[in-house]
Amino acid sequence: MNIRHGMKARRVAGCALAAVALTVSLTACGSGDDGSKDDGASSSAPSGDNSKDDGGNTVPDTSQTLATINGSNGFQVVINTATRDDGGFLTVSGTIKNTNGDSTQVPLQWNGQENQVKRTGRSLAGITLIDKAEKKRYYVLRDTDGYPLTTTGITRMDGNATENFFAQFPAPPEGTSEVDIQVPLMPNATIEIS
């Protein structure tokens, strides 16, 4: 019983670390102090689009859609952002929707195939990015305990339910402006990096 509680505590700590990393990267990317010209599509959102939900959780920016991936498994993945941060990371965020009318199990393949990741529980560690120009594949980053820096704990989704997600990867070289995103059991999609 103590081992299970210890694993749960590490999982919670990993999620907290990932949430802090995402919050810091989104805060750093959204500062607006880079001296760039405002083109009318400013980063200031209407008062109804606050960056926090009622529970105080950070909500991803859904003002743009980089890609919509529809799977034959009844899930739809919408990619809203793919943002570099100063630490050499690339954070991808968006939503997952169960387009079925019924409650559906999230595919186990989304966890990834690595033994270290399998032991950490349900996650989105199976998502990868492909840089065709550099001929490189990027995997979701792991913390020092091997937990993936991505949304965890999604096992089943109710019919027509939507879940926010993020996944953090090593950033491709500065010259790379787009990558393919691969979600297991779903078609690839090309997304633009900002």
Side-chain angles (χ1 to χ4, degrees), residues 84-109:
R84 294 179 190 272
D85 71 14
D86 293 335
F89 307 114
L90 177 71
T91 302
V92 175
S93 65
T95 58
I96 300 169
K97 182 175 183 179
N98 176 6
T99 59
N100 292 318
D102 299 323
S103 178
T104 306
Q105 181 84 19
V106 173
L108 283 171
Q109 291 86 342

Side-chain angles (χ1 to χ4, degrees), residues 143-188:
D143 68 13
T144 55
D145 291 325
Y147 291 92
L149 298 181
T150 184
T151 301
T152 60
I154 302 174
T155 57
R156 176 174 287 279
M157 291 179 64
D158 291 334
N160 300 311
T162 301
E163 293 277 351
N164 297 325
F165 81 92
F166 82 96
Q168 200 166 45
F169 302 87
E174 285 294 327
T176 301
S177 60
E178 61 181 31
V179 291
D180 281 2
I181 185 164
Q182 294 182 323
V183 179
L185 303 179
M186 301 185 85
N188 293 355

Side-chain angles (χ1 to χ4, degrees), residues 25-88:
S25 67
L26 291 176
T27 303
C29 293
S31 67
D33 291 333
D34 61 352
S36 62
K37 185 175 125 183
D38 185 13
D39 61 355
S42 70
S43 62
S44 58
S47 59
D49 286 344
N50 291 338
S51 63
K52 296 209 181 238
D53 67 8
D54 294 334
N57 298 319
T58 301
V59 177
D61 175 12
T62 58
S63 62
Q64 64 178 344
T65 299
L66 301 179
T68 300
I69 308 166
N70 293 302
S72 59
N73 54 11
F75 288 97
Q76 179 184 71
V77 177
V78 176
I79 310 298
N80 298 111
T81 64
T83 309
R84 294 179 190 272
D85 71 14
D86 293 335

